[in-house]
Amino acid sequence: MPQYFLTLPHDTADEPTMDSMQDMDPAELEEVMAAVEKFNTDLVAAEAFVTAGGLHPPSTAITVDATGVIPTHTPAPFVEAAEYVGGFWIIKAADEDAAVTWAEQASAALGSRIEVRALQEEPQ
């Protein structure tokens, strides 16, 4: 079954983290967390869940370039952007339409846009 990468964008001006989420209104945070938990539970029940995770913000990134004679490690993201991927799901879906339907549910749960991209090949 094809797999799809659902990504959650964040604004680099915010760089939200689990710690900064504690600054949210507690009722609002609880509502979002409950909606995401329901979404994850629904994915598992439908046998569509592969994995998911949140990412630390770009300010924590290290870019590694070993294309030259001496590898370099730069303490920064490899590209500067106004937005970045803050979290993701990898799901199994029969087709793109099914993946988009899952993304609609994720978008509603998080109150955010979700990008859908197919993996080129199923992982082994």
Side-chain angles (χ1 to χ4, degrees), residues 10 29 34 37 41 72 82 116:
H10 284 298
L29 178 59
E37 181 61 30
T41 300
T72 61
V116 178

Side-chain angles (χ1 to χ4, degrees), residues 39-124:
F39 175 69
N40 288 335
T41 300
D42 291 348
L43 281 172
V44 170
E47 298 183 354
F49 183 85
V50 175
T51 192
L55 301 171
H56 286 284
S59 61
T60 67
I62 298 171
T63 299
V64 176
D65 185 352
T67 59
V69 176
I70 300 173
T72 61
H73 303 169
T74 306
F78 71 91
V79 65
E80 290 193 28
E83 295 178 313
Y84 67 97
V85 174
F88 69 92
W89 288 268
I90 296 179
I91 65 167
K92 294 182 278 187
D95 54 31
E96 186 177 87
D97 289 340
V100 167
T101 298
W102 282 115
E104 289 171 352
Q105 293 174 45
S107 176
L110 288 163
S112 178
R113 296 169 294 138
I114 300 292
E115 180 180 310
V116 178
R117 295 174 67 185
L119 272 63
Q120 289 185 7
E121 296 179 17
E122 266 189 65
Q124 299 292 335

Side-chain angles (χ1 to χ4, degrees), residues 8-21:
L8 168 66
H10 284 298
D11 185 322
T12 55
D14 277 345
E15 285 201 349
T17 63
M18 290 306 287
D19 289 336
S20 69
M21 287 175 58

